[in-house]
């Protein structure tokens, strides 16, 4: 029997536009679902704030989406996941899927080189991340690379911009690229500048993000709870047409919504 909750939208949140890179992957995996996306731009960036502040902002974001009526939540932010996912899961009855730097897939590549993890200072300081490193440290050398300030630049200019290139040049000038086999993008914003990161590190180094894994994980979580919108028999339209409602904290509402829609369109997704 169909679960009536299956018709509800999926809630997705991030501090800004980074979570759109995750949403795009989810729409490609689950083209018949509806979404509500919350960008907490008023409090962006999360990654340089105190742990308790980000935990409380993440719980507030979840509360906001939950009041709209959602069947599941995706915390499309590594920083928020690293400090708040356990509390959120305890507080809400729906499936909650989070993000973590994709260290596991990087280790599973089986290369002998170092794994560089680009993420926000808070993600890299968190207990959750340090447990992840501890778990894999006998299999690979994992090198954290905090990128304070990068989220702000991406929010200002996510398309190829000089500021991004200059930031990355400065960042990588202190990194010994010798012996690095992969770079993990441990912040959903960085996926939006993957091209610039490839230009910086060269095409021999594998760049890994957790977006596909999160989309697959969400599909499984919905399936387990009979919450999947069962329209898989139909062929999805190309370009994909997605039903997304956007909610933005702060004043820049219209500008932000246009940016979010543009980013989805770059991925072949039209918001209807
Ligand atoms: N997209 C968030 C993440 O994945 C960015 C955090 C921030 O606002 O600093 O970590």
């Amino acid at each position: 029997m169909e679960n009536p909750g299956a018709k509800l939208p999926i809630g997705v949140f991030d501090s800004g536009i980074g979570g759109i890179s995750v949403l795009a992957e989810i729409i490609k995996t689950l083209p018949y679902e509806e979404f509500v996306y919350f960008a907490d731009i008023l409090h962006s960036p999360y990654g340089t704030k105190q742990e308790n502040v980000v935990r409380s902002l993440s719980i507030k974001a979840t509360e906001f989406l939950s009041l709209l009526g959602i069947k599941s939540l995706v915390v499309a932010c590594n920083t928020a996941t690293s400090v708040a996912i356990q509390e959120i899961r305890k507080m809400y009855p729906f499936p909650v899927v989070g993000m973590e730097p994709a260290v596991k897939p990087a280790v599973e590549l089986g290369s002998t080189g170092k794994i560089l993890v680009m993420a926000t200072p808070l993600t890299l300081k968190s207990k959750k991340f340090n447990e992840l490193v501890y778990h894999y440290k006998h299999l690979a050398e994992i090198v954290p690379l905090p990128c304070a300030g990068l989220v702000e630049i991406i929010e200002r200019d996510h398309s190829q911009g000089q500021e991004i290139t200059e930031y990355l040049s400065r960042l990588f000038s202190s990194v010994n690229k010798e012996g690095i086999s992969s770079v993990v993008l441990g912040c959903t914003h960085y996926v939006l500048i993957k091209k610039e990161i490839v230009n910086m590190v060269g095409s021999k180094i594998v760049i890994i993000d957790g977006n596909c894994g999160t989309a697959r994980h969400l599909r499984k979580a919905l399936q387990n709870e009979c919450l999947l919108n069962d329209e898989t028999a139909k062929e999805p339209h190309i370009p994909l047409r997605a039903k997304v409602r956007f909610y933005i904290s702060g004043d820049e509402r219209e500008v932000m919504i246009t940016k979010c829609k543009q980013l989805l369109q770059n991925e072949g997704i039209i918001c209807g």
Side-chain angles (χ1 to χ4, degrees), residues 98-196:
M99 311 280 312
E100 73 177 8
V103 169
K104 183 172 184 265
V107 169
E108 284 170 354
L109 285 179
S111 313
T112 48
K114 288 182 269 187
I115 298 170
L116 195 67
V117 183
M118 294 175 68
T120 67
L122 187 54
T123 297
L124 297 176
K125 265 193 283 184
S126 70
K127 185 166 172 264
K128 197 169 186 297
F129 177 73
N130 284 286
E131 282 172 356
L132 186 70
V133 172
Y134 185 78
H135 188 78
Y136 288 106
K137 77 172 195 291
H138 63 291
L139 292 174
E141 187 181 344
I142 299 159
V143 183
L145 183 60
C147 304
L150 185 52
V151 163
E152 293 93 310
I153 301 175
I154 297 169
E155 283 290 337
R156 275 199 296 278
D157 181 11
H158 62 270
S159 56
Q160 198 160 354
Q162 207 187 333
E163 231 187 324
I164 291 172
T165 315
E166 281 170 7
Y167 181 99
L168 293 176
S169 306
R170 264 197 319 276
L171 182 76
F172 280 95
S173 65
S174 63
V175 173
N176 176 9
K177 288 197 213 111
E178 195 101 336
I180 295 174
S181 57
S182 56
V183 174
V184 171
L185 306 183
C187 167
T188 53
H189 278 76
Y190 308 165
V191 181
L192 301 174
I193 58 156
K194 190 169 171 176
K195 225 173 38 203
E196 289 82 353

Side-chain angles (χ1 to χ4, degrees), residues 51 55 59 75 80-92 96 127-128 131:
E51 185 173 324
R55 187 173 304 119
I59 290 170
V75 182
T81 302
S82 68
V83 298
I85 196 127
Q86 281 174 350
E87 281 75 3
I88 294 173
R89 286 201 173 116
K90 275 188 219 145
M91 292 169 77
Y92 293 91
V96 178
K127 185 166 172 264
K128 197 169 186 297
E131 282 172 356

Side-chain angles (χ1 to χ4, degrees), residues 14-15 18-19 44-48 76-80 120 123 151 186-189:
D14 180 39
S15 63
S44 174
Y46 280 3
T48 45
C77 172
N78 292 262
T79 311
T120 67
T123 297
V151 163
C187 167
T188 53
H189 278 76

Side-chain angles (χ1 to χ4, degrees), residues 11 21 60 63 97 99 128 149 170 194 212 235 265-266:
S21 68
K60 278 194 190 128
E63 194 180 332
V97 174
M99 311 280 312
K128 197 169 186 297
R170 264 197 319 276
K194 190 169 171 176
C212 282
E235 278 293 307
Q265 206 172 320
N266 297 347

